[in-house]
Amino acid sequence: MSNLWEKILSELRKTITSEEIECYFEDMTFLSEDDFELKISKKDPTTISFIEENYCDRIHQIAVSLGKSPDFAICILSENEPNECQSKTASDSKNKKSVRSNIKLFRNYTFDQFVVGKNNQFAHAAALSVAENPSNSYNPLYIHGPSGLGKSHLLHAIAKKLIDTQPHLNICLTTSEEFTNRYIYSLSKNKVNAFRNDFRNVDILLIDDIEFLSGKEATQEEFFHTFNSLHSQHCLIVLTSDCEPSKLKRLEDRIVSRFQWGLIADINPPALETRIAILKKKAEHKQINIPDDVLLYIANKFKRNIRELEGPLNKIIVYASMNKRPIDLDLAKRCLKNMVSDETTFISCEHIQSLVAEQFRISRKDLLSKSRSKKIAQPRQIAMYLTRQLTGMSLPEIGVAFGNKHHSTVLHSIQKIEKSLNTDKQAQAMIQSIERSLR
């Protein structure tokens, strides 16, 4: 096994549950590693897309923290696939412009796999329009909505369709965090001109989670000039965010105003019928028959976002397979009993913050502040820990929700609380009490 992969697994075990490790990582096998990518294979191919969506960013962050460059790629293959990463674009012919070779596409993020409902039909139509006619489209296209509703899916679907239909185009698909990391890396290596050449000589720029540029003044300056350069050349720019441009915080007004030049499309949480349709689509893709009453049960219990739906579905499938039992409502309830209650309501980060603040007799504003006093820091760490345990939010998302803290700060807070839970019975009782209040 690769020393790097061993270290990544070791770090993952610190941030996710043993159940997640068992479900998604125990059947993985190291294939190869070089300076550019890590290849691993997985026996069960049905969960690869879920892992790519929910864990690959974290794996990449760990790899970078261990000394790999921001361009380092993580490639997950099923055992039946050739030893070649499908998340990359094919190489160009000599007569075509050089397409970036490290564009990472989630294989199931296509327009065909996107379930359209009233909550997302406008954003879907806008995304399909720019993918079919990028030279005569809204520029920029700005898609916004809460986490886990399909913004990244549409961004990847645009890239996939353009690669399939117009392979001569030079396409860059990235996240604002990766943009920032690559910029910082270029500064440290005195390669800023190469960085600018990468991002300002593309035909299509697709950036996910643009809100993470918040507060990063030097990166915002670089992005501003990159945006202007591409827009003046009529190159298509598509951005996603968790909120509309006017509500972006700590982002320069001149950047916000440019986001409003083109078309703004929102995505909202899916209705019950759409959630059921999404579950059916995912079950069909996995070629597994799930009874309608089980789909209804999941859809009724997990209402916030699409990502939240797939986790329970995967858990039921793995649980049934491991116990060699048919999937039925009784099995689903037994399997998900620790994830839902009889009167399940969505537990939001804001609700957790408010309850923890009330418990410690401080304000929610204190939790979001920069204060490092023990009176504030400990409740903040507990709130971050509970948010990680009880919601589907990633470390960077939790950081933003707690006043734009860095994801490493969030990770440190979670690890500190986990350590105290192993030795401090008073801390155990207090956190269990807060959890009961939340549920």
Side-chain angles (χ1 to χ4, degrees):
M1 182 183 287
S2 158
N3 189 40
L4 173 65
W5 180 233
E6 284 182 340
K7 290 179 179 178
I8 288 173
L9 284 176
S10 177
E11 291 300 314
L12 277 175
R13 288 189 177 94
K14 298 176 183 177
T15 61
I16 64 177
T17 65
S18 58
E19 192 174 55
E20 288 174 282
I21 291 289
E22 182 181 355
C23 281
Y24 303 121
F25 295 96
E26 279 199 348
D27 66 342
M28 283 187 171
T29 304
F30 166 75
L31 292 177
S32 65
E33 173 201 339
D34 56 29
D35 291 338
F36 305 102
E37 72 176 0
L38 170 69
K39 288 183 180 178
I40 43 184
S41 69
K42 184 167 172 58
K43 288 182 181 179
D44 176 12
T46 64
T47 56
I48 289 179
S49 295
F50 183 77
I51 293 169
E52 287 176 334
E53 179 185 353
N54 292 279
Y55 296 99
C56 264
D57 280 349
R58 201 174 316 168
I59 294 171
H60 180 262
Q61 289 166 7
I62 295 171
V64 172
S65 73
L66 293 171
K68 294 298 183 180
S69 80
D71 284 335
F72 191 72
I74 308 297
C75 178
I76 305 175
L77 303 166
S78 74
E79 287 192 340
N80 296 325
E81 286 181 308
N83 192 17
E84 183 175 323
C85 190
Q86 291 188 7
S87 64
K88 295 188 175 184
T89 60
S91 58
D92 286 333
S93 68
K94 293 180 180 179
N95 297 326
K96 294 176 182 176
K97 296 172 71 175
S98 175
V99 177
R100 288 165 56 95
S101 63
N102 66 338
I103 181 170
K104 298 181 283 290
L105 291 175
F106 295 159
R107 65 196 72 199
N108 292 333
Y109 278 16
T110 64
F111 283 113
D112 289 341
Q113 289 294 321
F114 191 86
V115 178
V116 182
K118 290 183 179 179
N119 63 304
N120 59 23
Q121 58 187 7
F122 180 61
H124 172 267
L128 185 58
S129 175
V130 301
E132 291 177 339
N133 193 3
S135 62
N136 188 26
S137 297
Y138 333 99
N139 200 17
L141 171 60
Y142 183 101
I143 303 173
H144 70 89
S147 174
L149 295 183
K151 303 185 300 295
S152 298
H153 189 140
L154 288 177
L155 208 62
H156 283 247
I158 292 170
K160 180 72 166 60
K161 190 169 186 67
L162 287 169
I163 289 169
D164 290 344
T165 60
Q166 302 191 53
H168 63 282
L169 291 178
N170 191 353
I171 301 168
C172 176
L173 169 64
T174 187
T175 66
S176 62
E177 184 173 18
E178 184 179 352
F179 182 91
T180 301
N181 289 339
R182 291 194 62 193
Y183 179 57
I184 294 170
Y185 183 81
S186 72
L187 289 173
S188 68
K189 300 296 183 181
N190 197 26
K191 294 182 177 181
V192 175
N193 287 336
F195 170 86
R196 289 171 179 165
N197 185 61
D198 279 346
F199 283 98
R200 298 185 190 181
N201 290 301
V202 299
D203 300 305
I204 313 288
L205 177 62
L206 311 166
I207 300 188
D208 209 1
D209 298 325
I210 199 66
E211 71 274 9
F212 289 123
L213 288 184
S214 174
K216 300 176 177 69
E217 295 179 4
T219 308
Q220 286 183 37
E221 179 75 18
E222 189 64 32
F223 174 77
F224 174 77
H225 293 296
T226 298
F227 184 102
N228 284 347
S229 175
L230 294 176
H231 199 275
S232 66
Q233 299 174 64
H234 306 289
C235 300
L236 175 65
I237 302 169
V238 183
L239 310 166
T240 73
S241 174
D242 64 355
C243 63
E244 58 188 84
S246 62
K247 292 184 179 179
L248 288 167
K249 297 177 181 178
R250 299 172 65 200
L251 208 63
E252 293 183 23
D253 289 342
R254 59 180 181 167
I255 294 178
V256 172
S257 69
R258 278 159 175 75
F259 292 167
Q260 298 169 326
W261 282 356
L263 180 68
I264 299 173
D266 66 335
I267 299 181
N268 296 302
L272 176 64
E273 295 80 5
T274 306
R275 296 198 299 274
I276 293 173
I278 291 167
L279 288 167
K280 282 186 176 180
K281 175 80 78 171
K282 292 186 179 298
E284 288 170 3
H285 182 76
K286 298 173 191 294
Q287 297 182 325
I288 294 176
N289 181 42
I290 308 288
D292 288 343
D293 58 348
V294 174
L295 297 177
L296 179 61
Y297 177 76
I298 299 172
N300 268 321
K301 295 297 183 181
F302 300 90
K303 303 176 182 180
R304 183 174 69 139
N305 59 47
I306 299 162
R307 192 178 303 146
E308 193 178 64
L309 286 172
E310 191 168 3
L313 180 65
N314 284 334
K315 186 174 181 180
I316 289 170
I317 293 170
V318 172
Y319 184 85
S321 176
M322 289 174 61
N323 291 278
K324 294 181 171 54
R325 287 185 54 189
I327 295 174
D328 56 25
L329 186 57
D330 179 64
L331 179 140
K333 288 181 177 180
R334 184 185 301 274
C335 176
L336 303 179
K337 64 181 180 180
N338 293 326
M339 298 178 69
V340 299
S341 64
D342 292 336
E343 297 179 356
T344 301
T345 55
F346 164 60
I347 301 174
S348 69
C349 177
E350 292 79 8
H351 184 38
I352 293 171
Q353 290 169 343
S354 298
L355 196 62
V356 171
E358 182 182 346
Q359 178 83 14
F360 285 88
R361 298 182 180 179
I362 59 175
S363 69
R364 181 167 168 261
K365 187 176 180 180
D366 290 331
L367 288 179
L368 308 187
S369 70
K370 295 182 179 180
S371 173
R372 295 184 179 181
S373 69
K374 186 174 181 180
K375 179 183 176 182
I376 306 300
Q378 185 185 25
R380 183 189 296 130
Q381 289 166 352
I382 290 172
M384 286 180 172
Y385 169 80
L386 289 170
T387 300
R388 180 65 178 160
Q389 294 296 312
L390 302 177
T391 75
M393 295 174 68
S394 65
L395 297 179
E397 288 169 345
I398 295 172
V400 171
F402 279 81
N404 288 308
K405 305 293 189 297
H406 194 269
H407 65 81
S408 61
T409 302
V410 178
L411 178 58
H412 172 74
S413 298
I414 293 170
Q415 290 173 342
K416 190 167 184 179
I417 296 301
E418 287 175 339
K419 187 176 179 180
S420 70
L421 288 175
N422 291 329
T423 57
D424 189 339
K425 291 185 178 180
Q426 187 176 356
Q428 290 176 8
M430 177 179 58
I431 289 176
Q432 287 172 1
S433 174
I434 296 173
E435 281 195 54
R436 285 193 296 270
S437 299
L438 287 165
R439 292 183 187 278

